[in-house]
Amino acid sequence: MRGMVAMRRFNLPIELRVSLLYAIFGSLWILLTDRALDLVVSEPQILTTVQTIKGWIFVVLSALLIFLFLRVESAQRRAARRAQSESEERFGQLFENSIDAILLTTPDGSIIAANPAACRMFERSEDEIKQIGRNGVVDTSDPNLQHALEQRARTGSYYGELTFLRKDGTKFPGEISTSLFVNREGLVRTSMIIRDISQRRQTEQALRESQDYLRAMIDCSPVALYSIDLQGRVVTWNPSAEQILGWSYDEVAGRPFPSIPADKKEEFERLRKQALEGGGFRNLIVQRQRKDGSRLHASLSVALLKDAENNTIGFLSALQDITELVQAERQLRQYADTVEWAHIIIRDMDNRIISWTKGVEQLYGWSKDEAIGKVIDELLQTRLPHSREEVQQALMTDGQWEGKLQHTRRDGSVMTVFSHQTVHRDLQGNPLSILEVNTDITARKRAEAEVHRLNAELERRVRERTAQLAEVNRELESFTYSVSHDLRAPLRAINGFSQIIARRYAAVLDDTARQYLQNVIQASEMMGQLIDDLLQYSLMGKSEVKLAPVALQEVITSLAGEISEKLASIGAQLSLPAEFPSVLGDRTLLWRCFANLLENAITYRKAQHPLQIVIDWRLEGQMVVIGVSDNGIGIPAEHQEKIFQIFQRLHRQEDYPGTGIGLAMVKKSVELMNGDVWVESQPGQGSTFYLRLPAA
């Protein structure tokens, strides 16, 4: 039997196996029995008889052996056919009833069979599927197709995803498992099991969109959302948690929750146990600590996180910063306390008092119990500027009324109050009550009366003082002209006679006398100039200055032409910009300002250094700033305001001549044109005088 099994392993045909078995058995029988007879039987007659018997025994045994072999072979064949039939039946059932499409194909793409699921999937009959072949149901433009064919040819199987085609040409994604096999005829065939994953893709896309939506909601939530595991380590942390608490996700991920103040550790553990036992909690007021160490009040809600087996794996927390709300509540309580001491009365539409604060008790003298329910006009003996009906009409029309009225206190004293009254309405607009805020202005009324009296007295005194000042100004103006006229005559005489003496008697005078005489002449001329400047300064502002657009280009260019010879004589250079703006000013005053500034630069130049004068300008909003710069001797910082005062000189007359009025005239002129003037200077490095005037 072992030989039979061995021969079956070689897949030999049954005829060949029977022949081989018979040949082997016959050979062994002849060899062994002949050798045994040679040893046992020696007589020829007996040997012939035994040989005959041996032949019949061989026939019987051979027949029996062949019978047994064929019986075993037949049983095995029946079992194999039964197993194959069952297998084919199971495959047929699977093939027909599978919810996945199954195709039997050849390696070149021809389709041999298609199950009903394939027909439903591709919306074609089996014959149509066989006719169009693999390339009719698979999208040949799918880049994964070539890879799938190459892998199946190389390894014998492939599992992955491809794009397939329905009858109407629509494409759909499918999951495919395909492999090579050899059928009973020894031919190579392929099996293809295809599952439509369109719904799964849609579900996955919907899940991704849902996750993206949820993630966006979490990221955009103004509430701090975070989760921690059972060991207290941070797992998730949204942007609001970062903004409210101060830590970034990278700083807290996988680490213990950092926002618990040191004195709140026990409370945190207690709330953790409470959440585990009760399944979470909502809107508990807690304190948390920010990264910078400051504390915040928060409303905390906690839910348990579960895994697929419903085991608790952590906590999801929603924390809302209510620090401002807590502070607002405190302020509201403080406000309520403040309101209680305010002078507020609430009355119903029948003018009966329904609210009477402690402040009102102190103001009028009646207690709350005494006032509630009383008609306000009867209790306080109200005296209105108009009738109660007119006030009530204004309240109903405008929703409010305010004015002065008189009330009587409990002690009988009369007081004046300023009353602001507002109507309170319900959601439908129906009036419910009137809120009245009264301010005691009795003392203010007395003070106002006193102020009116004092104002009247002050106005009278101002009129008298103004008249006195006008008279003084007239006298001063008359005195100025008189002094100017009276001083000029003797000065002219002194100057004239001094010059006559200098011409006629120069020969008889010694050098000292001639020097003295020259000093007298110069002093008289200087005094004359001083009188002219002083008179000009006193007259400034006496007449109205009318401001109008003035082209600085014309003023400064004309002035530069007039002093050009003087500048050339001392080797000075004047630099001007290509153009100047126009300003709102007075042409005469502007001429005087720039003439004084240029003369000032010439006077206070440095010896042995060529004088450089630069005029430039810039805009500052609606103002024009003009700068006049020189490289002269400069001005110490402590004297830079003093030089604009009249008669303020920093140098001796012998060193730098002048009257001490020029810069004072510049300052007064600029102020008359609604501008200002200042200087920036350093000793030895020159000065820059700035005039700021309105742009035209």
Side-chain angles (χ1 to χ4, degrees):
M1 297 301 292
R2 291 180 181 175
M4 294 168 59
V5 173
M7 287 187 289
R8 191 179 298 115
R9 289 178 181 173
F10 290 102
N11 269 334
L12 298 176
I14 186 170
E15 298 86 354
L16 181 58
R17 281 185 283 161
V18 171
S19 299
L20 287 174
L21 180 62
Y22 183 77
I24 293 171
F25 178 74
S27 299
L28 290 175
W29 177 266
I30 293 171
L31 179 63
L32 295 176
T33 55
D34 285 351
R35 183 170 295 180
L37 288 176
D38 288 342
L39 294 175
V40 176
V41 180
S42 58
E43 294 182 6
Q45 186 177 359
I46 298 174
L47 180 61
T48 300
T49 303
V50 173
Q51 287 286 2
T52 301
I53 297 172
K54 183 186 73 167
W56 284 108
I57 293 173
F58 172 75
V59 172
V60 173
L61 290 177
S62 298
L64 179 61
L65 182 61
I66 292 172
F67 171 75
L68 292 175
F69 174 78
L70 292 176
R71 184 175 182 180
V72 170
E73 185 69 24
S74 178
Q76 290 178 345
R77 282 179 175 272
R78 286 196 300 273
R81 284 196 296 270
R82 187 167 54 252
Q84 182 178 357
S85 177
E86 292 176 356
S87 175
E88 289 177 351
E89 183 178 356
R90 287 196 299 271
F91 176 77
Q93 290 292 331
L94 176 63
F95 186 81
E96 293 295 327
N97 298 317
S98 173
I99 61 174
D100 295 326
I102 300 176
L103 301 177
L104 298 179
T105 68
T106 62
D108 63 0
S110 298
I111 298 177
I112 300 172
N115 72 337
C119 297
R120 291 191 298 271
M121 180 179 294
F122 298 112
E123 299 175 348
R124 297 177 184 271
S125 66
E126 184 177 10
D127 290 338
E128 289 177 322
I129 294 175
K130 290 178 181 180
Q131 183 178 1
I132 62 177
R134 181 183 64 207
N135 291 342
V137 296
V138 179
D139 181 11
T140 56
S141 65
D142 189 338
N144 293 327
L145 176 60
Q146 187 62 33
H147 169 70
L149 295 175
E150 291 174 355
Q151 180 174 327
R152 188 180 68 180
R154 185 175 63 255
T155 64
S157 63
Y158 171 78
Y159 175 80
E161 294 182 3
L162 292 176
T163 304
F164 297 90
L165 300 171
R166 292 190 173 91
K167 184 176 183 178
D168 60 3
T170 58
K171 298 179 181 181
F172 65 94
E175 194 174 60
I176 181 171
S177 175
T178 178
S179 61
L180 299 174
F181 68 93
V182 179
N183 65 5
R184 284 178 294 179
E185 288 77 21
L187 300 176
V188 178
R189 295 290 183 259
T190 61
S191 64
M192 297 172 61
I193 302 176
I194 305 167
R195 176 171 295 174
D196 185 352
I197 59 172
S198 301
Q199 187 63 38
R200 190 176 77 187
R201 285 282 183 86
Q202 293 174 359
T203 302
E204 291 173 351
Q205 179 64 25
L207 180 60
R208 283 194 297 270
E209 292 177 355
S210 176
Q211 290 174 340
D212 292 342
Y213 178 71
L214 179 61
R215 187 177 299 107
M217 287 184 60
I218 292 174
D219 290 344
C220 296
S221 172
V223 177
L225 298 174
Y226 56 89
S227 62
I228 58 177
D229 60 21
L230 294 178
Q231 287 71 43
R233 295 172 301 209
V234 176
V235 179
T236 61
W237 190 264
N238 78 332
S240 290
E242 178 175 345
Q243 180 181 3
I244 293 173
L245 299 176
W247 288 276
S248 68
Y249 173 73
D250 293 337
E251 291 176 308
V252 299
R255 299 178 181 177
F257 182 65
S259 187
I260 307 301
D263 59 342
K264 300 294 181 180
K265 299 289 186 183
E266 293 183 1
E267 178 190 68
F268 177 74
E269 289 300 323
R270 177 175 57 79
L271 293 178
R272 180 175 174 275
K273 292 179 181 178
Q274 178 181 336
L276 285 172
E277 294 172 357
F281 52 80
R282 292 175 58 85
N283 300 327
L284 285 183
I285 307 302
V286 297
Q287 285 189 16
R288 290 293 178 260
Q289 184 170 300
R290 299 184 181 94
K291 182 180 179 180
D292 61 8
S294 61
R295 292 200 179 191
L296 69 150
H297 295 276
S299 173
L300 178 66
S301 298
V302 174
L304 298 182
L305 295 174
K306 305 280 188 176
D307 61 12
E309 287 74 32
N310 202 35
N311 298 317
T312 300
I313 59 173
F315 307 91
L316 175 64
S317 300
L319 184 142
Q320 184 175 6
D321 184 358
I322 60 170
T323 304
E324 293 183 357
L325 179 61
V326 171
Q327 294 173 349
E329 289 178 349
R330 291 175 181 171
Q331 293 175 353
L332 185 60
R333 286 193 293 269
Q334 295 173 356
Y335 176 74
D337 294 339
T338 302
V339 168
E340 183 61 23
W341 290 99
H343 301 157
I344 298 176
I345 303 171
I346 301 177
R347 65 181 192 268
D348 61 19
M349 301 311 297
D350 294 326
N351 289 326
R352 293 189 178 277
I353 298 170
I354 58 177
S355 177
W356 187 265
T357 66
K358 293 180 180 178
V360 177
E361 287 185 4
Q362 289 187 344
L363 182 63
Y364 292 107
W366 281 281
S367 68
K368 182 176 182 179
D369 293 338
E370 292 173 322
I372 294 296
K374 299 292 193 306
V375 176
I376 188 169
D377 290 347
E378 296 176 358
L379 180 68
L380 303 180
Q381 302 177 30
T382 305
R383 289 185 286 278
L384 295 163
H386 313 288
S387 67
R388 170 57 70 183
E389 289 73 18
E390 290 177 331
V391 173
Q392 203 75 4
Q393 181 62 35
L395 284 169
M396 295 300 102
T397 303
D398 302 330
Q400 62 180 4
W401 177 88
E402 61 181 25
K404 298 175 184 178
L405 47 83
Q406 289 185 332
H407 283 157
T408 301
R409 295 187 180 93
R410 184 172 185 174
D411 60 8
S413 60
V414 178
M415 62 187 299
T416 302
V417 298
F418 182 84
S419 181
H420 183 89
Q421 301 179 16
T422 304
V423 177
H424 175 61
R425 300 178 183 272
D426 61 17
L427 295 177
Q428 288 73 38
N430 302 314
L432 295 178
S433 59
I434 298 173
L435 185 145
E436 182 175 328
V437 181
N438 295 331
T439 303
D440 184 2
I441 60 171
T442 305
R444 192 177 79 186
K445 292 290 290 182
R446 289 195 293 265
E448 286 176 354
E450 181 64 16
V451 168
H452 288 316
R453 187 187 67 78
L454 292 175
N455 283 339
E457 177 66 18
L458 181 60
E459 289 176 1
R460 182 185 64 78
R461 291 184 180 183
V462 167
R463 287 194 298 271
E464 292 176 356
R465 185 61 176 166
T466 301
Q468 292 173 358
L469 289 175
E471 182 63 26
V472 169
N473 283 334
R474 285 193 296 273
E475 293 176 357
L476 181 59
E477 184 176 348
S478 176
F479 173 75
T480 301
Y481 280 106
S482 297
V483 168
S484 173
H485 181 271
D486 294 343
L487 287 179
R488 284 180 186 277
L491 280 176
R492 283 195 296 269
I494 293 172
N495 185 268
F497 284 115
S498 297
Q499 290 183 7
I500 292 173
I501 293 172
R503 288 195 304 270
R504 293 183 180 180
Y505 302 101
V508 298
L509 296 175
D510 58 14
D511 292 340
T512 302
R514 284 195 296 273
Q515 180 63 40
Y516 288 161
L517 189 59
Q518 187 63 34
N519 289 343
V520 171
I521 294 172
Q522 291 178 352
S524 63
E525 291 176 348
M526 181 64 188
M527 188 62 183
Q529 182 64 43
L530 181 61
I531 290 172
D532 290 342
D533 289 349
L534 182 60
L535 180 61
Q536 194 175 34
Y537 182 81
S538 65
L539 292 177
M540 290 179 65
K542 296 297 182 182
S543 60
E544 182 181 1
V545 177
K546 295 183 179 180
L547 302 181
V550 178
L552 288 179
Q553 186 83 29
E554 298 177 2
V555 175
I556 296 177
T557 303
S558 175
L559 182 59
E562 288 192 12
I563 65 171
S564 59
E565 292 185 3
K566 187 173 184 179
L567 291 175
S569 66
I570 61 175
Q573 182 177 353
L574 175 62
S575 299
L576 302 177
E579 59 181 16
F580 282 94
S582 295
V583 297
L584 285 178
D586 180 88
R587 185 182 182 87
T588 301
L589 293 180
L590 287 169
W591 176 281
R592 184 176 299 152
C593 288
F594 289 108
N596 274 292
L597 291 177
L598 291 174
E599 187 64 34
N600 204 61
I602 294 171
T603 300
Y604 294 99
R605 67 184 184 277
K606 290 189 290 187
Q608 309 303 322
H609 284 79
L611 176 61
Q612 299 286 335
I613 303 175
V614 178
I615 301 179
D616 59 2
W617 62 275
R618 66 178 184 270
L619 282 177
E620 289 185 357
Q622 300 299 317
M623 305 294 284
V624 178
V625 178
I626 308 103
V628 180
S629 304
D630 62 59
N631 61 344
I633 63 174
I635 305 167
E638 63 270 19
H639 298 310
Q640 290 178 7
E641 293 186 6
K642 178 181 178 182
I643 60 173
F644 292 103
Q645 300 175 12
I646 192 169
F647 298 136
Q648 294 297 321
R649 293 178 50 82
L650 306 181
H651 308 280
R652 297 187 308 163
Q653 180 71 26
E654 293 82 358
D655 297 330
Y656 297 99
T659 62
I661 300 178
L663 290 178
M665 294 176 65
V666 171
K667 179 177 175 62
K668 191 169 184 180
S669 297
V670 172
E671 290 175 347
L672 288 172
M673 293 184 289
N674 300 324
D676 57 343
V677 61
W678 72 95
V679 64
E680 294 179 1
S681 178
Q682 291 186 5
Q685 297 185 16
S687 305
T688 300
F689 286 85
Y690 291 101
L691 283 69
R692 180 161 39 215
L693 298 167

